[in-house]
Structures are given as structure tokens and as C-alpha cells.
Amino acid sequence: MPSTLLKKVWDAHAVRTLPNGQTQLFVGLHLIHEVTTPQAFDMLRERGWKVAFPDRTIGTVDHIVPTRDQRRPFGDLMAEQMLSSLERNCQDYGIRLLDLSTGMQGIVHVIGPELGITQPGMTIACGDSHTSTHGAFGAIAFGIGTSQVRDVLASQCLAMDPLKVRRIVLGGRLQSGVYAKDVILEIIRRLGVKAGVGFAYEYAGDTFERMSMDERMTVCNMSIEGGARVGYVNPDQTTFDYIRGRPFAPQGDNFDRACAWWQSMASDPGASYDDEITIDAATIQPTVTWGINPGQSIAIDDRIPASADEEALEFMDFRRGQPLKGTRIDVAFVGSCTNGRLSDLREAARVVRGHRVAPHVKALAVPGSQSVRAAAEREGLDRVFTEAGFEWRGAGCSMCLAMNPDRLEGRQICASSSNRNFKGRQGSPTGRTLLMSPAMVAAAAVAGEVVDVREFASAEVGVGG
Ligand code: SF4
């Protein structure tokens, strides 16, 4: 019987079916960070339990690390305590921690892939919603809460409800100036933020096949914003070429053997799906959110729809029928696990090169990891950003979540390459977030307002996917 990747990976990791119908699923890789683990480790200590598979658990620090000055001890006592507690827990339980001293630190969903830790056919869990990112490699990866972090630490297993699969087929070429971020914003806009509940999203079709791994990660990252617990792309030669030679990847003959197994986990031709939708890539435009969830977006040439939600309009201080083009911004943020990779920084730098950030705009370029930062500096991207008036920061989650000093103030409007525009997400309870691609953020930083990157003066606009 032809089968989907989801079913193959699920079956390969199923320990047993529980009386309530859930599957007890073995977790191949548990990624941990400083925010969702302290209580989980405390619960382990109280019960005298050990970590079942310390060698299948890897830690990093990302949410709370300051990005301006990363010297220890941190200025924020609470952040320092959280990091110290993760260090102690990793040491006590024999878990490898990729901290600031290693050169491998970064946002958990950036370092897993770039170090070759994330591999096809795996089950991956992490106490962060955007764990779906790792599905770009053909892994089944999901975010979990603190009590589940405890369960995985103690047993390396999770009780999971079975998922249906919706195949989202994207065909054709993306227009110039349209990126993977626009693709996923468009998918969420069309289907809604709850359509994915109970589903895994399989992204298929020649547009996804042409995408780089960075682009696939951007799409899978935001699957959770469409309600899907899991999003994945079937592994192919692009996947294998990306993984080859990375520090944690299989080496030598083992790599070839791994590739054969990874390939076998891809969905079979003729596999049946619970739902399937098709989108013409050429119809997708640069997309910007106007509301308070990632599904409330419009193409840059459109106007806020007549059906727009009242609460969102009130919070954002927008009107029905209003265009977003021309909206004055206060802050521009390029970064996060959605768009803080080298290719994202390259696209943003391409737009700002030779320009200056508008005087009223505070602009941040925040690499997703120490490796991304080092690679960007080798290419001189840091100079492009700083000469344009961006602040060039250390690696971390930064303004995606504002659990660190990078925060909006008051009613500021932020053009952001992150993934959530919920009320208060960027630190100020009244701050406003407009989600868009890194190139669009860069263009907005220079113009001082939301613009169409395709019309941006002298910008060489790239093509995503
Ligand atoms: S960048 Fe944002 S979404 Fe990604 S791991 Fe950090 S806080 Fe979570």
C-alpha cells in the first residue's frame, strides 16, 4: 500500500496504542532550551527520575539571551538565573549544551538543521511551538508543553493523537520579489489559522521541490500558525546535499546508507491523503499581515477586506478598505527562527545596500545562530547593515518574543520577519506587528513605511523558490 511520510515515520516510532486511542510515540530527538525546561527538570528531581536518553537530548539558549551584550553574567538577573539553571541541569543529567561559548549556539530551530542534528525520518520534539520547522527535512517535528518536556526527558516517549494529512500542492514559479514567507502567509490566509487542527501539512509540488532548505524551513516553521501540529516536505537530493558534511550528520558510508533510508521514508506516489489543495505559485504576491493573527494578511497591492475582524482593526488602528502600503513603521526586525538564516540576511542586505534606514526607524538585524552570524560577517553583510543604520546583533530570538531586552514600546509598529503578530507578542501590550518577508522588512526600514519591495528604488529583488 502506498503510504505517506507521516504514516511511515509514525509507524516506525510507535511503541504501542494506548487505551484512549493515542499512540505512545518514541521521540528520536529532544531539543531543549532555557524557557520550557526548568520546571520539567524540577519535576524529575522531585521524583528521583533520570533522563532516559541523554544522548538523544540537546540543549541551547535562545529566548532570553540578550543580543546586544552577551557577556556573562547577563544584566537581567532572571535571564542569568535561567541560563545557569539550564547549565546545571544539562551537567547533572549528562546532556550536551550548545551554549554561548561553543560557537554553535543559536535559536533551537536554526541550530538543529545547520549542525546536521535534524535528519529525515526522525521524530523531533521541543518545548517551542515552531518545532514544525524541522519538518522541512522530512522529520515529524512538533512543539510540546512543559509537562510533556518532563515526559520526554523521563521516558523519551509522548502520547500523541493520530494526525490526518493535508497535501498542499504548490505549482509554478514564484514572481520576482515573492519569497517562502509570502507562500506560507498566503496558505494561512486562504485556509485560516484553525484549518490545520488535527492535520499534518505535507508541502508538495514543483515550487517546493525547487526551494532551498532555508525556504522550506520558513514554510514548515509557520505550519503551526495555520493550526497544523506538523508540516513537512518529503526529503530529496536538496535535503541530502544540505545535510552532507555537517558536524552531526552521518559520515562516509554511513551517510550513503542513511540517504537510502531517508529516501525510503518519503511519501509514495499514489499515497492517499485526507485532503488536498492546489495553489498556483504565480498568483502569490508579497504579503503583509494587518491584524492580530498570521491569517489576517493581504497582498501588498490589496486593501484590508470589508470582512475584517473588528477587534483586530481596533487594536491595529486600521480601517476596512485601507491599504497597508504607506503605513509608517517605527521598528524593523530581521531575524527569528522563521527568517534569521543566512539566505534571509542576504536578501535583506541586498535591499538595504547603499541605502540608509529612515531616521525615525529603529532597525535590527539579528542572526539566528552564531554560525549564521559568522558566515554573514565573512560575506561582509554586517557592514552592509551597519552602514545602512541597522544594529547588528548577537544570535537569539530577540524581538520575536521579547523575553529579552529587545522589545517594542507603547504603540510602536514593527515590520517584522518573525512568525506571530499576536497582541503583546513583541513586548509592549499595545505594540503592533506587521509580518512580512525579510526583503519587505528591509525595504520598509529604508522607506520608513510599508512599501512593495518590487517597486523599491534600485533594489535587486531575488526570487524565492
Ligand atoms: S524565534 Fe520566536 S518562534 Fe522561534 S524559537 Fe525563538 S521565540 Fe520561538
Side-chain angles (χ1 to χ4, degrees):
M1 274 284 283
S3 189
T4 62
L5 178 141
L6 179 90
K7 181 159 176 21
K8 292 184 197 180
V9 177
W10 191 276
D11 289 350
H13 293 83
V15 178
R16 63 187 170 129
T17 303
L18 300 169
N20 64 1
Q22 289 187 304
T23 304
Q24 184 183 4
L25 207 60
F26 186 78
V27 174
L29 171 66
H30 187 197
L31 297 167
I32 63 171
H33 58 87
E34 73 283 11
V35 175
T36 45
T37 53
Q39 284 173 299
F41 279 110
D42 286 350
M43 290 188 259
L44 241 59
R45 268 200 191 87
E46 279 164 22
R47 291 164 172 79
W49 293 345
K50 291 189 175 359
V51 171
F53 287 84
D55 55 336
R56 290 185 176 275
T57 314
I58 292 187
T60 188
V61 285
D62 47 13
H63 289 63
I64 54 94
V65 291
T67 60
R68 191 195 295 278
D69 181 357
Q70 300 188 318
R71 284 171 302 180
R72 304 283 301 277
F74 297 151
D76 176 352
L77 185 62
M78 178 122 70
E80 179 60 31
Q81 280 172 348
M82 283 175 99
L83 180 42
S84 303
S85 130
L86 181 63
E87 286 170 335
R88 193 179 58 252
N89 287 328
C90 285
Q91 192 164 21
D92 288 356
Y93 290 96
I95 294 167
R96 184 163 188 170
L97 175 62
L98 305 175
D99 66 11
L100 289 157
S101 66
T102 60
M104 294 189 274
Q105 171 268 346
I107 306 174
V108 64
H109 312 311
V110 176
I111 65 157
E114 77 182 6
L115 293 172
I117 302 169
T118 300
Q119 294 168 19
M122 277 183 162
T123 46
I124 301 177
C126 173
D128 183 276
S129 314
H130 296 87
T131 306
S132 54
T133 311
H134 305 261
F137 291 78
I140 298 305
F142 33 79
I144 54 177
T146 293
S147 58
Q148 290 175 306
V149 171
R150 173 204 59 197
D151 295 347
V152 179
L153 286 172
S155 68
Q156 205 63 27
C157 290
L158 268 179
M160 292 279 292
D161 288 320
L163 293 169
K164 293 183 278 189
V165 187
R166 173 172 293 129
R167 188 166 186 249
I168 299 177
V169 182
L170 192 65
R173 295 262 171 199
L174 293 172
Q175 295 177 37
S176 171
V178 176
Y179 296 87
K181 181 62 156 288
D182 303 303
V183 168
I184 188 62
L185 284 174
E186 173 68 7
I187 289 171
I188 299 168
R189 188 185 67 76
R190 285 196 193 192
L191 299 183
V193 291
K194 294 192 180 142
V197 174
F199 280 92
Y201 280 179
E202 176 176 311
Y203 301 104
D206 61 281
T207 316
F208 289 119
E209 284 163 15
R210 270 193 305 277
M211 281 189 181
S212 69
M213 292 312 296
D214 283 8
E215 292 169 319
R216 294 177 188 183
M217 281 188 259
T218 297
V219 172
C220 289
N221 172 277
M222 289 189 69
S223 304
I224 187 76
E225 305 306 336
R229 190 85 188 271
V230 161
Y232 67 86
V233 178
N234 284 302
D236 60 9
Q237 197 57 44
T238 303
T239 321
F240 309 147
D241 291 345
Y242 178 98
I243 298 172
R244 186 190 301 276
R246 295 193 181 255
F248 287 74
Q251 308 292 329
D253 290 350
N254 285 341
F255 183 80
D256 297 330
R257 275 201 293 277
C259 278
W261 186 74
W262 294 339
Q263 186 73 66
S264 76
M265 298 309 278
S267 296
D268 298 317
S272 70
Y273 295 87
D274 300 285
D275 190 26
E276 181 159 334
I277 66 154
T278 303
I279 297 175
D280 176 0
T283 62
I284 301 176
Q285 306 288 319
T287 300
V288 180
T289 60
W290 56 265
I292 51 175
N293 73 49
Q296 293 170 332
S297 69
I298 52 173
I300 186 65
D301 284 334
D302 281 350
R303 290 168 181 269
I304 296 175
S307 59
D309 170 66
E310 191 59 41
E311 181 193 355
L313 288 173
E314 245 174 65
F315 183 82
M316 297 299 288
D317 203 13
F318 287 144
R319 296 176 320 279
R320 296 182 177 89
Q322 181 180 340
L324 287 178
K325 221 192 258 185
T327 303
R328 185 181 160 100
I329 65 156
D330 306 293
V331 178
F333 170 56
V334 176
S336 86
C337 59
T338 313
N339 283 126
R341 297 183 179 80
L342 184 60
S343 55
D344 301 312
L345 297 177
R346 281 184 186 145
E347 284 304 310
R350 195 143 68 138
V351 173
V352 302
R353 191 184 296 274
H355 294 284
R356 289 287 305 169
V357 169
H360 67 274
V361 173
K362 174 188 168 88
L364 264 60
V366 187
S369 71
Q370 290 179 327
S371 303
V372 168
R373 182 179 152 100
E377 290 180 353
R378 282 196 297 276
E379 294 183 14
L381 301 184
D382 55 325
R383 286 197 306 283
V384 174
F385 282 116
T386 51
E387 283 168 10
F390 269 79
E391 295 177 36
W392 177 246
R393 296 295 189 86
C397 295
S398 184
M399 209 174 255
C400 174
L401 184 62
M403 289 184 92
N404 55 72
D406 303 339
R407 313 166 75 86
L408 294 187
E409 290 168 14
R411 291 285 283 153
Q412 281 183 325
I413 295 187
C414 179
S416 179
S417 72
S418 56
N419 45 53
R420 279 191 170 159
N421 51 348
F422 300 164
K423 290 179 182 177
R425 171 77 177 181
Q426 292 191 288
S428 163
T430 53
R432 292 167 285 172
T433 304
L434 308 178
L435 301 176
M436 58 188 82
S437 72
M440 286 282 282
V441 173
V446 171
E449 60 184 36
V450 176
V451 291
D452 185 339
V453 69
R454 297 171 300 185
E455 297 163 359
F456 189 69
S458 79
E460 274 180 62
V461 174
V463 182

